[in-house]
Amino acid sequence: MKRFILGLIFGVLIIPVGAYFYFSTGSAPVATSAPPLPFEKQLARMALDAHIKKEAPNTPALPVNDANLLAGVPIYQQHCAVCHGLPGQQPTAIAKGMFPKPPPLFHGKGVTDDPATETYWKAANGIRLTGMPGFKGSLSDNELWQVSLLLATADKLPADVKSALSESGPTVKSTPAAKSGHKK
């Protein structure tokens, strides 16, 4: 009986001790180019889905209309496009270097299969350990709803909204040091 109890204690302790050494010795992948840990995607998705289901609003605070969709365009271009892209454009260097990769919201289904309320929650609160920031402190509630409505209807946007999205995209300005070749 004593051996059984000692074996049980050893068995219970070996997992957390092994996990501690795995992480503390630098064995865990942490670079954005490294593959995910086993079950990392599944656990993160499960936690995110459960949290959104619990906290996301039930209905959008604004109606889906041309005015709100058009108002969402410059918000998206300024705050979202650098990571999530624009229709017809290739991913930016920032998007290519992120892990997990930010979903291209205007290519394929994007988030059009998500309710606007879910997109609103993600834009307002951000998503931990993904690079997705929360904009609750930077954008107004109306702005968050406008960009959420734009994304929720991205697959059926009116022509004037599509045109506005294509007019200008994320720009990366060169710094004076980059122009001068870093000369001092």
Side-chain angles (χ1 to χ4, degrees), residues 53-89:
K53 185 177 181 181
K54 184 172 87 173
E55 286 192 355
N58 294 326
T59 57
L62 297 176
V64 177
N65 59 34
D66 285 6
N68 282 325
L69 296 176
L70 280 168
V73 169
I75 299 163
Y76 181 86
Q77 288 173 327
Q78 182 178 1
H79 299 285
C80 312
V82 70
C83 293
H84 296 288
L86 286 165
Q89 287 191 359

Side-chain angles (χ1 to χ4, degrees), residues 123-183:
N125 297 290
I127 303 173
R128 220 174 140 107
L129 303 175
T130 66
M132 173 64 191
F135 289 97
K136 194 183 292 183
S138 314
L139 299 174
S140 72
D141 208 44
N142 277 351
E143 290 172 319
L144 287 165
W145 278 113
Q146 289 164 337
V147 77
S148 298
L149 294 172
L150 173 75
L151 293 171
T153 58
D155 58 343
K156 51 189 172 285
L157 291 172
D160 57 338
V161 177
K162 284 182 186 176
S163 175
L165 270 169
S166 300
E167 286 177 11
S168 68
T171 57
V172 179
K173 296 179 181 178
S174 26
T175 61
K179 289 179 183 174
S180 65
H182 295 286
K183 293 179 185 173

